[in-house]
Amino acid sequence: MTAQPAHRFEQQTAIVTGASRGIGLGIAERLVAEGARVVVTGRKQDALDEAVAALGGPDVALGVAGHADDTDHQAETVARAIEAFGSLDLLVNNTGINPAYGPLMELDAGVARKIVDVNCIAALSWVQHAHRAWMGEHGGSVVNVASVGGLRPAPGIAFYGASKAMLIHLTEELAVELAPDIRVNAVAPAVVKTKFAGALYEGREEQVAKAYPLQRLGVPEDIGSVVAFLLSEDAAWMTGQTLVVDGGILLSGGV
């Protein structure tokens, strides 16, 4: 584990969506370690309660259950973050779904719409709520969790990749509209060892990792450190950027 800057987010509050486990929890852990108070979301309250305990308890963390694309849930989470911790300085749109695997010609249109709703439209809506409630007046920083699948064709998860390409473009548009007081950036991970990505490596991790120049798959901490950088003042002259965090896999022509 690399050394962490001390108290980089002291007295700041973050919302991290989809953070009961995996990449989202890894991001939340890094932010808390650097002084932030964090509100984590997910579908199940019991899983969020476990995450809050792991993060250090109610003094530094709060879990709010709901569906990421539910606007009432978004409004409630934003309101509770400000009520509990006094501000909303940082937002990480981490929630993503990929309920379909296979060729585009077999993709159900209803499933495609749901992917866009959760992966793209919900991200915009979270930013809108944060902007209205706090960031529009006080400023802030946003990071959207995209994917290398949004940068290169990814057979089998093609529409997921298309939704992440939309999220990357949305990041750029928001960066222009919300500057100079709110910065908006993104990360594009390759395969990270989480339950969400299990179908891409479980049972053949060593084989999959061989395609990566760095010879291993990612772990949530690899993404958490980069997201923390983008949210922080260390990235104060960066907006509209998508940082690839992929172990070098794009260099070898893969996704």
Side-chain angles (χ1 to χ4, degrees):
M1 178 67 67
T2 57
Q4 299 173 5
H7 309 301
R8 193 159 53 167
F9 301 110
E10 196 74 36
Q11 300 303 314
Q12 294 189 48
T13 303
I15 290 176
V16 184
T17 70
S20 62
R21 62 174 190 247
I23 289 175
L25 183 57
I27 292 168
E29 288 173 338
R30 182 61 182 252
L31 297 181
V32 168
E34 296 192 32
R37 289 79 54 91
V38 177
V39 179
V40 292
T41 76
R43 288 177 294 177
K44 298 179 179 179
Q45 189 63 51
D46 57 347
L48 289 171
D49 291 342
E50 292 178 7
V52 167
L55 290 167
D59 289 342
V60 296
L62 171 69
V64 182
H67 293 274
D69 57 340
D70 180 347
T71 56
D72 289 339
H73 167 62
Q74 296 162 5
E76 178 194 3
T77 303
V78 168
R80 290 183 63 183
I82 296 171
E83 178 184 2
F85 298 125
S87 67
L88 176 51
D89 312 283
L90 314 168
L91 172 64
V92 181
N93 282 309
N94 172 68
T95 302
I97 62 169
N98 183 34
Y101 185 88
L104 286 171
M105 294 304 98
E106 298 177 8
L107 179 64
D108 178 80
V111 172
R113 292 188 188 97
K114 185 64 175 179
I115 292 172
V116 172
D117 280 345
V118 175
N119 294 3
C120 305
I121 297 173
L124 172 59
S125 187
W126 278 102
V127 175
Q128 290 172 333
H129 281 285
H131 183 269
R132 285 193 292 264
W134 185 267
M135 290 186 181
E137 182 178 352
H138 301 91
S141 184
V142 177
V143 171
N144 296 320
V145 178
S147 168
V148 292
L151 299 169
R152 299 275 180 86
I157 57 170
F159 200 79
Y160 171 79
S163 74
K164 292 300 186 176
M166 180 178 175
L167 183 61
I168 289 168
H169 188 79
L170 181 64
T171 297
E172 296 171 350
E173 296 285 3
L174 287 169
V176 172
E177 287 198 16
L178 299 180
D181 296 322
I182 302 171
R183 297 184 302 105
V184 187
N185 292 289
V187 292
V191 176
V192 177
K193 290 166 54 175
T194 63
K195 184 176 180 180
F196 178 80
L200 300 176
Y201 71 89
E202 285 179 348
R204 54 193 183 97
E205 180 179 339
E206 184 176 348
Q207 175 187 351
V208 174
K210 283 181 179 179
Y212 287 69
L214 292 185
Q215 295 290 290
R216 68 173 177 87
L217 303 183
V219 294
E221 293 85 351
D222 291 319
I223 313 306
S225 60
V226 177
V227 170
F229 162 70
L230 286 173
L231 289 172
S232 78
E233 286 301 303
D234 288 338
W237 209 41
M238 292 180 66
T239 196
Q241 302 304 304
T242 297
L243 292 190
V244 175
V245 192
D246 72 339
I249 188 64
L250 292 188
L251 299 174
S252 60
V255 171

